[in-house]
């Protein structure tokens, strides 16, 4: 009866807390569901909450017999989650906002149930992390190396099979067709889904937490192997008939390889299991926790702190000034066609697919020539307000995907005499077969010139909080570098001339 009374006494603040959560996340959750629906990389997100609820259901007997003992430590977690929520709202960062929901759920569990409840529910709650799409920077830093790895190893395997093939970056060249290892073929889609499944498989096949972690880690090389197998098979099919490498057959091969990966993880889990129990970590019935008979001494202040804190966060975030869009000082189309000895030869335009991926608001891609005929491509990509899905992309993620191999990269300081300042920029040297290219780039954001993309991102968050601005631009200058020293001299000279013009267009 004591347990029931304690649970009834926390019911009212719990109902209030859930109601406020619905208000706080009324725009965030629909966007999350839309990502599951529109992005194949996260279509497994629909299953994650259902699996989590099933894991909670399996603990129903233990939960019903566990005494309620609210813990003040949950309040600290809710405070941390609240900061994450407000931070994400101001910076327009969806990942942080979504992750804050899971942290709040952890805090609510501790505040309303206590440590014993947390011990029963930590797996179902933390499992929800798999439903949250990764930030672009993290996603791209994983997907891109996977694409290159799959391309390189698959090419080597096809060479061993006497298939005439060569690759550049993530592009495979066959006698009768050209194949590109895109994100869908990088393995990251299978990686996230199979890791999520491996957690469940490990819970039902392994007896200890260490064994569970080992199985989850083993799922990573299994996914990499399966993806290499998929790309290799696609290459073999393309040799027989290029149509077999696309459309239904390509999609079917992808699904079949994914199922192979799941089966392999399951078989490894079975082989690792040494005990005879069917459900070592998660049992169907479980053992009832010892019911506490102590008097309920803890004050009811802890459960009531939750709705109060959440309500304050909701009010603060509702009245917080949103990030404002900051336009260019002048349209980039008015950028000078002649810049102190460098003359425009043509404007280039990006296709709709690339523009959608970049999420850029305004851009200029123009080719200039020096007086001795050296061609320089100037790209300026400007974002009025950066947000998830519409943020500056680093050239280091783009060039290798087009077959360019990084040869060297360093940060240099360049003096701009006309404005009496020094700027720090990136010098990036690449090769592709016999071709060589030199690239200089930097981030021009809210009056700053920044070379490091992570520093630029942190400054964007800081300015979002203090200035309610997240506008910024990527500036990139590139040209052929057969004669590297000549290319450096001309491009640096161009930067010295173009920088004073550039800052007249971009917001300070």
């Amino acid at each position: 009866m004591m347990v029931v009374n304690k649970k009834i006494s926390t019911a009212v603040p719990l109902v209030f807390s859930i109601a406020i959560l619905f208000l706080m996340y009324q725009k965030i959750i629909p966007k999350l569901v839309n990502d599951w629906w529109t992005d194949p990389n996260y279509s497994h997100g629909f299953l994650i909450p259902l699996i989590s609820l099933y894991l909670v259901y399996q603990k129903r007997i233990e939960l019903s017999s566990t005494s309620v003992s609210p813990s003040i430590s949950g309040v600290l977690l809710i405070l941390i989650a609240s900061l994450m929520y407000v931070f994400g709202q101001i910076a327009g960062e969806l990942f942080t906002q979504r992750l804050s929901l899971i942290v709040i759920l952890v805090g609510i569990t501790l505040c309303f149930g206590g440590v014993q409840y947390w011990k029963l529910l930590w797996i179902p709650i933390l499992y929800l992390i798999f439903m949250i799409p990764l930030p672009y920077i993290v996603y791209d830093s994983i997907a891109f190396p996977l694409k290159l790895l799959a391309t390189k190893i698959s090419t080597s395997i096809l060479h061993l099979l006497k298939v005439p093939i060569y690759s550049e970056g993530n592009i495979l060249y066959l006698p009768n067709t050209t194949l590109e290892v895109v994100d869908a073929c990088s393995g990251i889609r299978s990686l996230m889904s199979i890791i999520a499944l491996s957690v469940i498989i490990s819970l039902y096949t392994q007896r200890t937490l260490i064994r569970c972690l080992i199985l989850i880690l083993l799922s990573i090389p299994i996914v990499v192997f399966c993806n290499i197998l998929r790309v290799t098979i696609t290459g073999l099919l393309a040799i027989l008939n290029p149509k077999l490498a696309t459309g239904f057959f390509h999609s079917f091969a992808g699904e079949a390889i994914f199922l192979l990966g799941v089966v392999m993880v399951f078989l490894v889990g079975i082989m690792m299991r040494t005990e005879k129990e069917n459900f070592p970590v998660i049992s169907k019935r479980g053992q009832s926790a010892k019911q506490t008979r102590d008097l309920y001494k803890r004050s009811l202040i802890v459960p009531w702190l939750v709705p109060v804190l959440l309500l304050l966060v909701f009010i603060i975030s509702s009245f917080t000034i949103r990030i404002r869009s900051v336009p260019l000082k002048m349209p980039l189309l008015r950028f000078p066609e002649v810049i102190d000895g460098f003359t425009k030869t043509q404007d280039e335009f990006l296709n709709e697919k690339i523009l959608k991926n970049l999420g850029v608001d305004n851009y200029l891609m123009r080719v200039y020539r020096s007086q001795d005929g050296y061609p320089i491509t100037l790209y300026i990509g400007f974002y009025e307000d950066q947000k998830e899905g519409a943020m500056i992309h680093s050239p280091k993620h783009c060039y290798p995907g087009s077959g360019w191999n990084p040869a060297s990269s360093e940060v240099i300081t360049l003096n701009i005499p006309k404005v009496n300042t020094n700027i720090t920029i990136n010098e990036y040297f690449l090769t592709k077969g016999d071709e060589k290219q030199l690239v200089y780039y930097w981030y021009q954001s809210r009056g700053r010139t920044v070379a490091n993309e992570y520093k630029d991102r942190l400054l964007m968050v800081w300015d979002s909080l203090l200035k309610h601005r997240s506008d910024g631009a990527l500036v990139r200058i590139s040209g052929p570098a057969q004669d590297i020293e000549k290319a450096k001299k001309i491009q640096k000279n161009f930067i010295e001339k173009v920088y004073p013009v550039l800052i007249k267009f971009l917001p300070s």
Side-chain angles (χ1 to χ4, degrees):
M1 190 66 182
M2 180 70 69
V3 175
V4 175
N5 288 337
K6 291 177 185 178
K7 292 179 178 178
I8 292 175
S9 67
T10 58
V12 176
L14 179 60
V15 170
F16 275 111
S17 299
I18 293 173
I20 298 170
L21 280 178
F22 273 110
L23 291 174
M24 289 174 62
Y25 293 90
Q26 60 181 318
K27 294 181 180 179
I28 298 170
I29 298 299
K31 288 180 182 178
L32 177 60
V33 174
N34 183 66
D35 284 347
W36 299 343
W37 182 260
T38 58
D39 189 344
N41 293 307
Y42 299 103
S43 57
H44 64 274
F46 286 103
L47 295 176
I48 301 301
L50 299 177
I51 294 173
S52 182
L53 286 173
Y54 178 70
L55 294 176
V56 174
Y57 174 76
Q58 286 196 310
K59 291 292 185 180
R60 64 194 183 281
I61 296 176
E62 293 159 279
L63 289 169
S64 65
S65 58
T66 300
S67 64
V68 172
S69 182
S71 172
I72 194 69
S73 59
V75 176
L76 177 60
L77 285 173
I78 290 177
L79 285 172
I80 293 172
S82 299
L83 291 174
M84 292 172 61
Y85 177 82
V86 173
F87 167 85
Q89 286 274 357
I90 295 174
E93 220 290 307
L94 281 175
F95 177 78
T96 306
Q97 296 175 62
R98 292 165 175 174
L99 189 61
S100 70
L101 176 59
I102 296 176
V103 181
I104 284 178
L105 291 178
V106 175
I108 286 177
T109 301
L110 288 167
C111 285
F112 287 94
V115 176
Q116 293 305 315
Y117 265 66
W118 167 243
K119 288 180 179 179
L120 293 172
L121 296 176
W122 72 273
I123 292 176
I125 293 175
L126 296 185
Y127 189 70
L128 294 172
I129 290 174
F130 289 106
M131 73 181 183
I132 301 177
L134 296 171
Y136 167 77
I137 278 185
V138 177
Y139 175 89
D140 199 57
S141 63
I142 298 173
F144 187 71
L146 286 175
K147 286 192 287 188
L148 295 182
L149 178 65
T151 304
K152 183 176 181 180
I153 297 180
S154 298
T155 301
S156 299
I157 294 173
L158 290 169
H159 272 306
L160 291 175
L161 297 175
K162 307 300 181 183
V163 174
I165 183 177
Y166 77 96
S167 63
E168 289 183 347
N170 61 324
I171 300 174
L172 298 170
Y173 294 94
L174 294 158
N176 53 347
T177 188
T178 300
L179 302 175
E180 181 181 1
V181 182
V182 295
D183 281 353
C185 301
S186 68
I188 190 169
R189 184 180 302 175
S190 300
L191 180 65
M192 291 183 291
S193 299
I194 289 182
I195 287 179
L197 286 172
S198 71
V199 172
I200 302 302
I201 293 172
S202 68
L203 295 177
Y204 286 98
T205 59
Q206 306 308 309
R207 186 171 181 81
T208 65
L209 183 60
I210 295 298
R211 284 179 174 272
C212 288
L213 293 174
I214 291 173
L215 179 57
I216 293 168
L217 290 174
L218 286 175
S219 69
I220 298 175
I222 289 174
V223 171
V224 172
F225 165 78
C226 289
N227 190 58
I228 292 169
L229 181 62
R230 178 188 182 183
V231 176
T232 303
I233 291 174
T234 301
L236 292 172
L237 291 174
I239 286 293
L240 297 175
N241 185 347
K243 293 182 179 180
L244 295 178
T246 59
F248 169 77
F249 294 99
H250 180 67
S251 300
F252 178 78
E255 299 299 330
I257 294 297
F258 173 77
L259 290 176
L260 174 63
V262 174
V263 171
M264 289 178 67
V265 172
F266 181 76
L267 290 176
V268 171
I270 294 297
M271 288 188 290
M272 287 177 59
R273 188 177 65 178
T274 56
E275 289 77 10
K276 295 182 179 180
E277 291 83 355
N278 291 326
F279 305 104
V281 176
I282 300 292
S283 63
K284 284 187 175 180
R285 298 184 62 86
Q287 296 180 355
S288 298
K290 183 181 178 182
Q291 188 172 350
T292 305
R293 298 298 182 183
D294 298 334
L295 292 175
Y296 185 51
K297 299 179 180 179
R298 188 163 283 119
S299 171
L300 289 178
I301 291 178
V302 174
W304 276 105
L305 280 175
V306 177
V308 171
L309 283 174
L310 294 179
L311 183 60
L312 285 173
V313 171
F314 176 68
I315 293 173
I316 291 171
S317 62
S318 297
F319 289 96
T320 298
I321 300 175
R322 303 299 182 192
I323 301 302
R324 54 190 175 93
S325 297
V326 180
L328 290 162
K329 292 180 180 177
M330 293 185 286
L332 290 175
L333 291 176
R334 293 173 56 184
F335 210 82
E337 296 185 358
V338 178
I339 304 175
D340 203 356
F342 294 88
T343 307
K344 166 192 166 182
T345 58
Q346 65 178 15
D347 282 327
E348 298 180 349
F349 301 94
L350 303 172
N351 62 47
E352 290 186 8
K353 182 180 178 181
I354 293 176
L355 283 174
K356 184 178 179 181
N357 289 334
L358 291 176
V360 69
D361 292 307
N362 297 277
Y363 79 95
L364 176 73
M365 185 177 287
R366 179 172 291 176
V367 179
Y368 288 87
R369 282 193 182 274
S370 64
Q371 292 178 342
D372 62 357
Y374 180 84
I376 292 178
T377 300
L378 167 67
Y379 170 79
I380 305 169
F382 177 73
Y383 298 77
E384 294 183 356
D385 61 303
Q386 296 183 69
K387 48 189 174 292
E388 193 72 21
M391 288 189 171
I392 295 174
H393 292 224
S394 170
K396 287 188 175 181
H397 299 310
C398 303
Y399 274 101
S402 302
W404 290 95
N405 299 307
S408 67
S409 176
E410 63 177 308
V411 176
I412 67 167
T413 299
L414 193 63
N415 180 256
I416 311 296
K418 283 189 178 182
V419 290
N420 193 28
T421 189
N422 292 324
I423 62 172
T424 303
I425 61 177
N426 295 286
E427 183 181 87
Y428 197 30
F429 181 54
L430 305 107
T431 62
K432 182 167 68 172
D434 294 331
E435 296 180 71
K436 297 177 182 179
Q437 189 166 72
L438 179 66
V439 179
Y440 289 98
Y441 71 93
W442 67 90
Y443 306 95
Q444 194 72 26
S445 304
R446 301 165 302 283
R448 301 187 188 93
T449 303
V450 182
N452 185 279
E453 63 177 307
Y454 298 104
K455 180 181 178 181
D456 180 68
R457 185 68 180 273
L458 289 173
L459 288 171
M460 184 203 77
V461 172
W462 180 256
D463 289 342
S464 297
L465 291 168
L466 298 185
K467 302 177 182 179
H468 308 292
R469 289 178 55 184
S470 62
D471 52 286
L474 169 68
V475 184
R476 187 187 71 211
I477 287 92
S478 59
Q482 299 304 117
D483 184 340
I484 184 65
E485 294 304 322
K486 177 184 176 182
K488 286 182 179 181
K489 182 179 179 181
I490 296 176
Q491 288 196 35
K492 286 179 180 178
N493 184 38
F494 179 74
I495 294 171
E496 290 175 8
K497 309 298 184 186
V498 81
Y499 186 85
V501 179
L502 177 72
I503 58 178
K504 294 179 181 179
F505 284 78
L506 300 180
S508 56

